Amino acid sequence: MRLPIFATSLALLAASGSAALAGPAEDLARSRIDAIAGGDLAAVASAYAPAATLHWVGGPLDGSYSQSDKIREVWSKFFAAQGTQKAAIAATTEGANPKGGTVTVDVTFAGKNTVKVRYVLLYRDGKLVDEIWQVNPAATY
C-alpha cells in the first residue's frame, strides 16, 4: 500500500515550484541576477568566458559588446544609472545538455528606473559565452 503514496508524493514534488529542480545554468543565471541587482561589478564581469558577447537591445546602452573592457563599461553605466535596485523574476526557463545550457528569464530591475528585461544567457563549461539583454518595456510582468 505504500507504493501509491510514494508515487503520489513524487507527482506532487514534480509539480511543485521549479526552483528546487533548477539546473546548473539556471542556478548561475539566478546568481547573476542577484549580482546585477546588487551592483556587484566584479561578480558580473567574472562570469564571462574570454570571447563572450553581450547584446544589449534597447535603451541608452543598445549595442553589441565583445571586449571585456567594453562589457565592464556597459555594466558600470547601468549600475550608475540604476543606483540601489531590486530584481523580481517573473519567469525562468532552462534548456540544457552536456554541451551547455541556455536560460531565459523575464525579470524586472527596479532602482532609479524600472527596467523590464527578457534576459537570455548561454553557458558553456560554467561560463557565460553569449547573453542578450532585451529591454522589454511593454512587458506585463
Side-chain angles (χ1 to χ4, degrees), residues 36 55-57 75 78 109 117-119 132-135:
I36 292 168
H55 304 278
W56 197 291
V57 185
W75 285 115
F78 179 73
F109 291 92
V117 178
R118 165 69 50 92
Y119 198 14
I132 300 170
W133 178 277
Q134 173 70 59
V135 177

Side-chain angles (χ1 to χ4, degrees), residues 58-139:
L61 300 173
D62 184 77
S64 291
Y65 308 91
S66 57
Q67 296 173 328
S68 61
D69 59 329
K70 296 295 183 189
I71 293 172
R72 255 184 111 81
E73 183 180 325
V74 168
W75 285 115
S76 293
K77 288 178 181 179
F78 179 73
F79 296 149
Q82 282 295 90
T84 302
Q85 61 183 341
K86 293 188 181 210
I89 295 174
T92 305
T93 58
E94 177 186 38
N97 64 44
K99 297 292 185 177
T102 301
V103 180
T104 302
V105 184
D106 291 331
V107 58
T108 302
F109 291 92
K112 292 178 186 173
N113 304 290
T114 298
V115 182
K116 294 183 178 195
V117 178
R118 165 69 50 92
Y119 198 14
V120 181
L121 305 101
L122 172 60
Y123 290 95
R124 290 183 182 270
D125 297 322
K127 287 296 201 177
L128 188 56
V129 297
D130 203 13
E131 88 188 299
I132 300 170
W133 178 277
Q134 173 70 59
V135 177
N136 196 10

